[in-house]
Amino acid sequence: MLIIRAPRAPFFFHQHAVMPEALYLLPGTQVFISRFGVFKAERRKYSGVMRSGFVARLRSILPLVLLATLATAQAAPPEAPVALAEKVFKQGDFHGAIAAYQKAIDRQPSPQAYAGLIKSLLKLDDVDAAMENAHKALELFPQSAVALAADGDVKFRRGLMAEAENQYTAALKRDGKCARAWLGMGRIDAAASQRRRSRDAFNRAHDLAPEDGDILYYWAVRLPYPQNVAGLEKHLAEYRDDAERERHEREYVNFLKALAGRKVWLPARAVERTEIKLHPIFAEGAVRHRAPPLATQSIITNPEDRLRGYSLEVKLNDRAKASVMLDTGASGLTISRKLAKKIGAKKLSEHSLEGVGNGGPAKGYEAWVEKVTIGDLEFHDCHVHVSPRRTPDYDGLIGTDVFEDYLVTVDLPAHKLRLEPLPKLAGETPGRRPAPMSSFTQYYRFGHILLIPTRVGDSAGGLFLLDTGSVTNAISPDLARKVSRVRGSNLTVKGVSGKVKDVFTTDEAVLQFSHFRQPHQDIATFDVHDLSKDLGTEVSGFIGFATLRTMKMIIDYRDGLVDFEYRP
């Protein structure tokens, strides 16, 4: 039984009462109820007594009729189950949202209910359940753009970029106004370094569905200052998420406020090309099982081979020189707290440094450095990451993304870092590569992290992180079980986020990436779920220093391309 309670209303109306206009026809009398009161037009068919009786009866029933009319007009209809589930989702109660969307599906299956259920499961990183429900949605609604876009989201999380793009494209062919499909295409284009296309896709998604929290976030982060801060603060205020994601977002907002729109890493002068010498880094002691904590990931397995990376020299604020490891898996420039104090770096905002390990984020901060000199290059107005941890082997890390305006050649066998002009673009056609880069492989970029499609053996594969800061190659436990036998190991893996709890190794496996196929034995295996969750796509392994030390690696950050030359 449904009970509708109407707002309190009077049972009489005076001349100035505002009421809906209506017309009631009674025998022998026309009564007009207008916004100015009740009027009657008499006909002379009946006597005055009879007319008086009708009028009296009318006056007695009019309040009841009008009250029922107002109650019907003013009472809001019950909210649709999908809309109720969306409210729960918006509050960050993803378990509650899953239950609410499932209830809506049980009541009446729809693409929108399934899409809501899938995005709630992905928020909790229950990828298997999301995949199962995406299959159900497509079985029931194979032509639905909403269902296709939701399946694209699942494939994106699984690291199946080409398949995700196909689903988003199919969704837009069926409905060019599917906002979640435009969001998905924007994420694909961003990962593929198609910046203009990505921005256009996010703008289109936001125009279509500004109330979607995910769309608001991806749209806001690409706005100029201070609009980006306003958009992200709106997102934080109106859309709840898990604690870690909200912490990341608050840290980023505070960093944007501290920068206040200032441009950073400004070249002091134009340098068309240059070459920087790299210096070998050897692990301290005869055998080092515990890696330096600033490293993205480190393992020393061979007592006879103590080479664990290469460094280059930087000069900071004309006060101190430092040796920093060249790490393709690192972001910008990271220095120790002691060095930051020595050079007079000014703190901008709190910042947590995260990487491989189960110890949680390291509490560092962002700092302002007036001048950084690297060989012939001189940069002004630089921000750097400051870590609370230090290592005796080097003073910090430098990511190759610092040099992203150049064609970057990391030639580890020759101990050189070469920076050259980027080739001319091959027109505006999407997917066309510059002419001299036909041998290059597409990678996917998430911030500073470069992921390259890699196969392990002939049966399975995924996205692997290019990481000169990782001494060895590694694969995730899920992928390892598909291709080889996994066994226990006494190896110690330690990174920015501390020590990895459980490390295993595999039997011999063959890594295939770009145009290379290399057999490896005793590949390290450990869980990188937190990294995958943070990036929003599956990281299946690392191509580390053990392999990259034998190669010349050429990185084009503008076009999202990489190439390798084997140099044993």
Side-chain angles (χ1 to χ4, degrees), residues 242-258:
D242 70 46
E244 282 298 291
R245 289 195 187 99
E246 290 188 350
R247 178 179 62 78
H248 291 160
E249 192 169 349
R250 282 193 298 270
E251 285 184 352
Y252 183 58
V253 168
N254 291 336
F255 173 62
L256 290 175
K257 289 180 177 179

Side-chain angles (χ1 to χ4, degrees), residues 287-289 298-305 471-472 489 491-492 505 521-522 524 546:
V287 182
R288 188 179 187 86
H289 290 293
S298 305
I299 305 174
I300 300 297
T301 59
N302 186 353
E304 303 301 323
D305 186 4
V471 174
T472 189
S489 170
L491 293 175
T492 296
T505 58
Q521 291 184 341
D522 295 332

Side-chain angles (χ1 to χ4, degrees), residues 30 79 91 124 184 187 200 267 322 394 413 434 440 452 481 486 527:
Q30 289 181 329
E79 196 162 13
Q91 294 165 1
L124 294 177
R187 295 174 69 197
D200 290 346
Y394 46 85
F440 281 58
I452 185 171
R481 294 186 187 98
V486 179
D527 186 17

Side-chain angles (χ1 to χ4, degrees), residues 156-157 187 218 446-447 449 451 465 530-539:
F156 190 101
R157 175 59 185 85
R187 295 174 69 197
Y218 282 98
F446 292 80
I449 288 178
L451 301 177
L465 196 158
D530 288 344
L531 176 61
S532 299
K533 181 182 177 182
D534 187 46
L535 296 184
T537 196
E538 190 69 16
V539 178

